Amino acid sequence: MENKFTVEIKYACQEILNRYYSVQVAKRSLDSDPWWIEKILQIERNCDRFLCGEHAEVSWVRDYGSKDLTEKESIARDSS
């Protein structure tokens, strides 16, 4: 059941990204991606890791919760 749910989440991520990029191409406006694109990509990567049995490799970056600028900079580096 967990794997089926994870696959469905992964497909939902792909649909969101495909829809977004289709609209951007149609509007001819591909400047820079909004902040949430990286979050969707992170969810998709974590689903892949989970499905491959790499549970220890799954990690989540907290976007909010720290007011310390240096910690936010390290979070941004860790998410790539």
Side-chain angles (χ1 to χ4, degrees), residues 36-54:
W36 52 268
I37 291 291
E38 181 56 38
K39 182 56 86 176
I40 297 293
L41 291 169
Q42 179 189 37
I43 294 168
E44 187 178 10
R45 284 190 301 266
N46 281 335
C47 288
D48 284 339
R49 290 174 178 145
F50 183 83
L51 291 169
C52 290
E54 300 170 353

Side-chain angles (χ1 to χ4, degrees), residues 17-64:
L17 293 170
N18 288 341
R19 176 77 48 106
Y20 171 75
Y21 287 117
S22 294
V23 169
Q24 294 305 308
V25 168
K27 291 172 29 180
R28 291 181 167 77
S29 60
L30 287 172
D31 294 339
S32 63
D33 293 337
W35 65 269
W36 52 268
I37 291 291
E38 181 56 38
K39 182 56 86 176
I40 297 293
L41 291 169
Q42 179 189 37
I43 294 168
E44 187 178 10
R45 284 190 301 266
N46 281 335
C47 288
D48 284 339
R49 290 174 178 145
F50 183 83
L51 291 169
C52 290
E54 300 170 353
H55 301 112
E57 300 298 318
V58 173
S59 66
W60 298 104
V61 175
R62 299 179 105 188
D63 294 319
Y64 309 103

